[in-house]
Amino acid sequence: MTDVGPFGLSVRDQALEADVQAGMAAVEEGLLEATKSEVPFITEAAQHLVRAGGKRFRPLLVMLSAQFGDRYAPGIVPSAVVVELTHLATLYHDDVMDEATVRRGVASANARWGNSVAVLTGDFLFARASHILADLGPEAVRVQAEAFERLVTGQILETAGPQDGRDPVEHYLDVLGGKTGSLVAVSCRFGAMMSGADDTVVDVLTQYGERLGVAFQLADDVLDIASDSHESGKTPGTDLREGIPTLPVLRLRERAARLGLADDIALCELLDSDLTDDDRHAEALRLLRAHPALEQARQDTIRYAQDARSALAPLPECTAKTALVELSDAVVHRAG
């Protein structure tokens, strides 16, 4: 039994393990090949985050979903490269919007080379992903285009915020469905589709991916508050310090508006203050960690992960299905 992919996912079947490991190794080679340019500087910038590592969560889902058809079909590895390139491209752009200085333990591209280079490098990765897609057929292009539209729409909705009268929690979950769920869903869809799996299987795995993607991001929200380590890949309280309204904060504000408790209102006021001040930031973290809103957000995460697991019910019992079930369980484990 070997751990592969994010969260130490355990694969108990030697044949499945060999397939996944070989596929992931091929994806890694594909990423390096796809980020090469005749211009050495572009290669350096494009490979900056590839070489920094990462969970490779999306390519893993491609490999596992491909087990429901011809797992050796030629389009599987290229489609996994496409989803990871797309994900990486969004990280370059996100770091510019967030003015981030660190990504995956190294200096962000914008911190190292400036915003213009970071944005253009992200565009370069999108272009390379599109080039690979062109060889996978018009259906693959259409699926990716629709997912990318949803991803960008989610980002715009996050930036604009909820419209008057819209429930902020519902708005936020819609944002996550676009920003995160869409590309995770495509990862599962591509794996099944490229393997020639039955359309019903493709649909089941797409639904699973959508729900798992949202659960994955909600787990990050919980970890940003609850973790005392760098378990989330960021310093705890990073979103809090930057004023990003993640689910625990939204649940707090919802409770404060509904119950009008003095302690809740005081904590909301603290969150609205300047949390670049270390003392205020530490106090906000301490209070949120003890607040029922954090547990409510954790339960939301568990619900989405359980929904992902339930979506798999129509699939035949096999080692790949077991691995996908365990992956949804691992997301819950991350959230505590």
Side-chain angles (χ1 to χ4, degrees):
M1 182 174 69
T2 302
D3 289 344
V4 296
F7 330 127
L9 174 66
S10 296
V11 174
R12 295 178 172 81
D13 179 84
Q14 288 185 346
L16 175 59
E17 175 192 328
D19 284 344
V20 171
Q21 295 281 21
M24 297 295 280
V27 169
E28 213 62 32
E29 291 178 11
L31 287 170
L32 290 173
E33 185 62 31
T35 48
K36 287 180 181 176
S37 167
E38 294 179 357
V39 181
F41 174 68
I42 295 178
T43 301
E44 181 185 8
Q47 292 186 350
H48 181 61
L49 289 184
V50 174
R51 295 187 180 280
K55 298 181 182 71
R56 303 292 190 254
F57 180 48
R58 292 154 190 83
L60 175 64
L61 286 168
V62 175
M63 296 304 143
L64 291 174
S65 298
Q67 296 290 318
F68 294 90
D70 176 7
R71 59 190 183 275
Y72 303 119
I76 294 168
V77 169
S79 68
V81 173
V82 165
V83 293
E84 188 66 11
L85 283 175
T86 304
H87 172 58
L88 289 170
T90 66
L91 297 185
Y92 281 85
H93 289 178
D94 283 350
D95 286 346
V96 171
M97 289 187 290
D98 298 341
E99 299 180 354
T101 58
V102 176
R103 169 69 71 173
R104 295 181 173 175
V106 299
S108 62
N110 50 297
R112 184 168 176 180
W113 295 297
N115 286 347
S116 294
V117 169
V119 169
L120 291 169
T121 302
D123 292 345
F124 176 81
L125 296 182
F126 284 132
R128 286 299 175 87
S130 298
H131 183 79
I132 297 169
L133 268 170
D135 293 330
L136 296 178
E139 177 66 8
V141 173
R142 184 187 65 79
V143 168
Q144 173 75 353
E146 289 176 353
F148 190 50
E149 179 183 347
R150 288 190 60 208
L151 193 158
V152 173
T153 299
Q155 185 65 65
I156 293 171
L157 288 175
E158 180 181 59
T159 302
Q163 294 182 344
D164 289 345
R166 179 82 197 278
D167 177 11
V169 172
E170 287 184 7
H171 171 83
Y172 182 65
L173 292 173
D174 282 348
V175 165
L176 295 192
K179 278 188 61 177
T180 306
S182 61
L183 194 56
V184 176
V186 164
S187 302
C188 295
R189 186 175 189 85
F190 273 166
M193 192 172 86
M194 295 299 164
S195 73
D198 182 83
D199 286 348
T200 302
V201 173
V202 174
D203 289 343
V204 165
L205 287 167
T206 302
Q207 292 175 33
Y208 165 83
E210 177 92 17
R211 298 169 190 179
L212 186 71
V214 175
F216 179 80
Q217 184 56 56
L218 292 179
D220 267 1
D221 287 0
V222 171
L223 282 172
D224 187 61
I225 303 299
S227 176
D228 285 320
S229 65
H230 299 297
E231 188 179 353
S232 63
K234 300 183 294 187
T235 302
T238 296
D239 292 335
L240 206 60
R241 190 184 293 275
E242 294 175 357
I244 298 172
T246 57
L247 191 62
V249 173
L250 292 174
R251 286 302 190 193
L252 164 68
R253 295 189 188 282
E254 178 184 63
R255 174 186 160 106
R258 186 177 74 252
L259 301 180
L261 299 177
D263 287 347
D264 292 351
I265 293 171
L267 180 50
C268 288
E269 291 172 351
L270 175 60
L271 294 178
D272 290 334
S273 68
D274 181 10
L275 293 185
T276 60
D277 178 90
D278 288 342
D279 289 339
R280 284 200 195 98
H281 181 259
E283 178 67 3
L285 262 183
R286 184 186 70 80
L287 292 172
L288 266 177
R289 284 170 176 165
H291 196 279
L294 180 62
E295 180 56 31
Q296 187 175 2
R298 185 179 282 115
Q299 292 303 315
D300 291 328
T301 305
I302 291 170
R303 176 169 54 84
Y304 268 90
Q306 289 174 338
D307 285 349
R309 179 175 182 160
S310 297
L312 296 171
L315 296 182
E317 296 302 322
C318 61
T319 53
K321 179 179 179 179
T322 300
L324 291 170
V325 167
E326 289 185 356
L327 195 53
S328 64
D329 291 343
V331 168
V332 172
H333 179 72
R334 289 175 74 230

